[in-house]
Amino acid sequence: MSSQAPELLPELLLASHLKTLKLPTFLREHDKLARQCAAEGVDHVRYLARLVELELIDRERRMVERRIKAARFPAAKSLDSFDFTAIPKLNKMQVLELARCEWINRRENVIALGPSGTGKTHVAIGLGLAACQKGLTVGFVTASALVSQMMEARDERRLLRLHKQMAGYKLLIMG
């Protein structure tokens, strides 16, 4: 038996425990961060605090990504990429206020009306992305797709299930 085997055992055990606890960022970053903290003279509590912070940041990022994927946006269009100068009648401050998502918690509705090509869907998706980033569940569906889903659900006797799914969203965007 080599002298290296006993040194590998704690690493393997740690890796196994971190996988079991579902701490992928810990697993990926602990060694690199330990070396960095040792070089900086950082104590073990601050090392662990940094490691936990990395895990929390990464976990939040993954949750936002899952919410965005679950929303089924046709494209990822943020408000940052919207050209407010192209539509001067659109109140930028009001849109940015809506992006704070307080209206969703108050259970209020927002209706965007206007001719084709004026950015209604872009703004709606931008508000949906903002809601996802704030931890809210979002769904995006076109009106025609919703009618099709409802007719199909009715025919298959699962209309109640579709209704529950739609009611589960904090924000439902109909584009």
Side-chain angles (χ1 to χ4, degrees):
M1 185 172 214
S2 77
S3 62
Q4 196 175 12
E7 292 174 19
L8 289 177
L9 189 59
E11 277 293 322
L12 293 173
L13 194 57
L14 177 61
S16 174
H17 290 330
L18 291 174
K19 284 179 186 175
T20 301
L21 290 170
K22 294 183 170 89
L23 296 169
T25 306
F26 261 68
L27 183 59
R28 188 177 60 250
E29 301 291 334
H30 77 90
D31 194 43
K32 178 176 74 173
L33 189 60
R35 285 192 207 117
Q36 180 183 346
C37 286
E40 295 172 8
V42 173
D43 64 40
H44 68 283
V45 174
R46 284 188 175 83
Y47 159 72
L48 284 173
R50 286 184 188 180
L51 201 51
V52 168
E53 184 178 21
L54 287 174
E55 184 70 45
L56 287 172
I57 290 167
D58 197 42
R59 191 169 286 194
E60 177 60 28
R61 180 191 55 76
R62 289 190 314 268
M63 287 191 316
V64 168
E65 287 173 357
R66 281 193 298 273
R67 285 190 293 268
I68 290 171
K69 185 177 179 183
R72 296 184 176 161
F73 296 117
K77 296 182 176 184
S78 70
L79 293 175
D80 294 341
S81 65
F82 188 76
D83 183 9
F84 285 94
T85 60
I87 300 141
K89 287 185 178 181
L90 183 60
N91 184 335
K92 180 179 181 177
M93 294 311 295
Q94 185 177 28
V95 171
L96 296 178
E97 175 63 27
L98 290 171
R100 294 178 55 202
C101 301
E102 292 170 1
W103 59 278
I104 298 170
N105 294 324
R106 292 190 304 262
R107 302 178 66 93
E108 296 174 355
N109 297 315
V110 171
I111 299 172
L113 299 172
S116 181
T118 55
K120 297 179 300 295
T121 301
H122 187 144
V123 169
I125 292 170
L127 293 175
L129 286 172
C132 286
Q133 291 166 346
K134 296 199 181 312
L136 303 173
T137 55
V138 178
F140 181 96
V141 65
T142 63
S144 61
L146 180 58
V147 169
S148 295
Q149 288 175 17
M150 291 175 73
M151 289 174 59
E152 187 179 305
R154 181 198 62 201
D155 294 345
E156 296 175 7
R157 299 185 185 275
R158 55 179 182 80
L159 201 52
L160 188 59
R161 190 179 328 153
L162 178 63
H163 180 263
K164 284 181 182 177
Q165 177 188 347
M166 295 294 163
Y169 296 124
K170 289 289 186 182
L171 173 61
L172 178 60
I173 301 170
M174 290 183 53

